[in-house]
Amino acid sequence: MSALNDKVVIVTGGSSGTGRATALSFARKGAKVVITARRAVPLEETAADHPNNIGLVADAAEPRPALSAALAPTTTSGAGARSWNGFAEGRLLVLVV
């Protein structure tokens, strides 16, 4: 059992490059990972790569729309849409900006 099991990690810019690798690494170690990015398609692809991931289209430079989306009951992206249920139960452990 990993120390990251059921802990919540938020990775901004997580749809590509280092952010993507970071998000997937945390997910493989048991964390529930909220990935934010500006581009929906790469975000959806990254979120779909692991069941512990959930994606949120948001720009870290504009926090109000991101907060509104985060408070919604489900993600709004296509086939990869998943409920936020279960994520809210974990404790925020890491924020990667």
Side-chain angles (χ1 to χ4, degrees), residues 2-97:
S2 169
L4 293 174
N5 279 356
D6 295 326
K7 301 296 188 229
V8 176
V9 173
I10 300 172
V11 179
T12 62
S15 66
S16 63
T18 303
R20 174 182 164 72
T22 300
L24 293 173
S25 178
F26 276 116
R28 285 187 211 108
K29 292 176 182 175
K32 297 175 181 178
V33 183
V34 178
I35 305 167
T36 69
R38 292 175 292 164
R39 297 175 296 140
V41 172
L43 175 64
E44 289 174 5
E45 291 169 354
T46 301
D49 281 346
H50 198 283
N52 284 5
N53 293 340
I54 192 165
L56 172 64
V57 175
D59 185 344
E62 296 291 334
R64 287 184 190 261
L67 179 59
S68 295
L71 295 176
T74 60
T75 59
T76 56
S77 55
R82 293 182 225 164
S83 172
W84 288 98
N85 292 339
F87 276 77
E89 296 169 8
R91 292 181 57 189
L92 179 62
L93 180 66
V94 178
L95 172 61
V96 179
V97 181

